[in-house]
């Protein structure tokens, strides 16, 4: 339902030709998907929409402007806004995405204590909310999710004459569904499965399991709920590591502004004395690649910039080193040709003029 609502809004744009929906399954992995983690979108609460635009020769506006128009339409829609306010993350990404990075803006918060990383993340989120041009903000911080597990009570099942396998199959069919057959729809190349599953409104509550019965070896009906044990567990959080250090990611896309200016504003915000930091934290050092903090116990926490900024800085650094090496080789070749050291220097003074 959520995916259909978003797709309908996208199709209202006159530059949109078609929309392909991948709900609960990974899309076709392309250059974009390799870096955006498209292969991991295989769970029921994730979806991917591939938007096919009109040919660039047939339209007057660029794809970036189309993305901005669609993003504005989504945020102005009341239903989609309710999805976003309830925690749904919607990201609009152009294909091809440009440099091979996880996101245009990436901040890596590194340190061993997850609580301190969470506090740094809150501080950084405050700065991002005040920074112009940053959209589609997301974090790798997992939400606290309580999962209800239904485990087979083997003692009760054995006393009731119901096999554990039969009970597990009934639970799986009731809650998750099971494919019982397949069919080929006319006009479609791919086959589809026929699934047996209880309607969603009846799966929303565990109380509906009172109405499901299973047969024992004597042919008597036994309530399914009486043969299972209900336990509530908190989903374990995924520990993400970058270069061997526990890391929390903050990602965002840019709209109408370069990521360089956004990070400049964030650096000013983080270097401000009024910025609230975790207890006991003081700034140790900073550079264009990020900031380093240390607490009273000597533990180091870092905020490192990734994404396009890191790639840009690394490319210019490598290019600068390559140019210095090239100039040295040119100088040595000229020294060998002229048999002097001063004349090659006079000749190479013309090289900077070429940059003007």
């Amino acid at each position: 339902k959520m995916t259909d609502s978003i797709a309908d809004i996208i199709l209202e744009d006159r530059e949109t030709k078609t929309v392909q929906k991948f709900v609960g399954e990974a899309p076709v992995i392309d250059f974009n998907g390799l870096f955006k983690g498209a292969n991991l979108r295989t769970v029921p609460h994730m979806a991917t929409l591939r938007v096919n635009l009109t040919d660039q020769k047939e339209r007057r506006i660029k794809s970036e402007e189309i993305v901005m128009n669609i993003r504005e339409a989504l945020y102005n829609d009341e239903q989609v806004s309710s999805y976003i306010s309830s925690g749904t993350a919607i990201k609009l990404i152009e294909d091809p995405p440009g440099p091979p990075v996880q996101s245009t803006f990436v901040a890596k918060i590194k340190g061993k204590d997850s609580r301190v990383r969470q506090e740094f993340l809150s501080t950084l989120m405050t700065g991002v909310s005040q920074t112009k041009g940053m959209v589609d903000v997301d974090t790798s911080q997992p939400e606290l999710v309580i999962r209800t597990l239904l485990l087979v009570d083997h003692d009760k099942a054995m006393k009731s004459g119901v096999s554990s396998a039969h009970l597990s199959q009934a639970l799986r069919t009731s809650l998750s569904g099971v494919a019982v057959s397949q069919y080929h729809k006319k006009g479609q190349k791919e086959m589809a499965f026929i699934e047996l599953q209880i309607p969603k409104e009846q799966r929303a509550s565990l109380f509906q399991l009172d109405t499901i019965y299973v047969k024992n070896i004597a042919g008597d009906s036994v309530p399914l709920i009486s043969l299972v044990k209900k336990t509530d567990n908190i989903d374990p959080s995924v520990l993400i590591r970058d270069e061997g250090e526990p890391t929390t990611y903050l990602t965002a896309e840019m709209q109408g502004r370069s990521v360089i200016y956004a990070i400049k504003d964030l650096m000013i915000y983080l270097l401000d004395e009024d910025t609230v930091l975790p207890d006991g934290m003081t700034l140790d050092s900073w550079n264009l690649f990020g900031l380093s903090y240390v607490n009273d116990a000597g533990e180091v926490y870092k905020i490192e910039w990734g994404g396009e900024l890191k790639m840009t800085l690394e490319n210019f650094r490598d290019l600068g080193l390559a140019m210095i090496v090239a100039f040295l080789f040119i100088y040595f070749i000229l020294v060998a040709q002229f048999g002097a050291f001063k004349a090659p220097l006079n000749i190479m003074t013309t090289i900077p003029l070429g940059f003007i």
Side-chain angles (χ1 to χ4, degrees), residues 114-311:
S114 60
R115 181 188 60 82
V116 178
R117 293 202 311 272
Q118 176 64 35
E119 293 180 8
F120 269 118
L121 179 63
S122 299
T123 300
L124 202 53
M125 285 289 289
T126 303
V128 168
S129 64
Q130 301 172 4
T131 303
K132 180 183 176 182
M134 301 189 74
V135 295
D136 300 346
V137 181
D138 195 13
T139 72
S140 64
Q141 187 71 21
E143 298 290 339
L144 181 63
V145 178
I146 299 178
R147 185 183 297 273
T148 300
L149 299 179
L150 297 176
L151 305 175
V152 176
D153 191 328
H154 296 282
D155 292 336
K156 289 184 179 181
M158 184 175 59
K159 293 177 182 178
S160 302
V162 180
S163 68
S164 298
H166 185 197
L167 194 56
S168 299
Q169 184 179 7
L171 276 174
R172 189 177 299 108
T173 303
S174 302
L175 301 177
S176 302
V178 61
V180 295
S181 184
Q182 62 187 35
Y183 75 98
H184 295 270
K185 188 176 180 180
K186 186 176 180 181
Q188 291 187 356
K189 297 181 179 181
E190 298 181 358
M191 66 178 181
F193 291 97
I194 301 174
E195 292 190 353
L196 177 63
Q197 190 177 44
I198 293 178
K200 183 178 180 180
E201 58 272 12
Q202 298 183 16
R203 289 184 279 120
S205 173
L206 294 177
F207 295 108
Q208 297 292 339
L209 293 178
D210 293 336
T211 61
I212 301 175
Y213 293 82
V214 291
K215 296 284 186 179
N216 61 10
I217 56 177
D220 300 325
S221 297
V222 182
L224 177 63
I225 196 66
S226 65
L227 303 178
V228 297
K229 294 182 291 186
K230 174 176 167 289
T231 60
D232 293 330
N233 295 330
I234 298 177
D235 272 359
S237 58
V238 178
L239 178 60
I240 302 175
R241 291 183 177 273
D242 182 82
E243 297 179 347
E245 297 183 75
T247 305
T248 300
Y249 285 96
L250 173 62
T251 59
E253 297 297 329
M254 300 305 302
Q255 177 171 289
R257 197 181 187 207
S258 172
V259 67
I260 297 176
Y261 299 111
I263 292 181
K264 183 201 70 173
D265 292 345
L266 285 175
M267 292 282 284
I268 296 174
Y269 166 77
L270 292 171
L271 293 173
D272 192 337
E273 295 181 356
D274 296 331
T275 301
V276 179
L277 298 175
D279 294 338
M281 284 291 171
T282 56
L283 180 65
D284 182 46
S285 62
W286 66 275
N287 54 40
L288 294 177
F289 288 94
L291 305 93
S292 178
Y293 297 87
V294 62
N295 61 11
D296 299 334
E299 298 173 341
V300 178
Y301 288 81
K302 301 176 183 177
I303 298 178
E304 296 182 355
W305 308 125
E308 288 190 5
L309 177 70
K310 182 181 179 181
M311 175 168 288

Side-chain angles (χ1 to χ4, degrees), residues 24-37:
E25 60 178 343
V28 178
I29 306 300
D30 54 7
F31 181 76
N32 189 341
L34 289 175
F35 298 94
K36 307 295 183 182

Side-chain angles (χ1 to χ4, degrees), residues 102-117:
Q102 180 182 355
S103 187
T104 304
F105 169 85
V106 177
K108 306 175 186 179
I109 305 172
K110 297 183 177 182
K112 66 177 185 179
D113 192 334
S114 60
R115 181 188 60 82
V116 178
R117 293 202 311 272

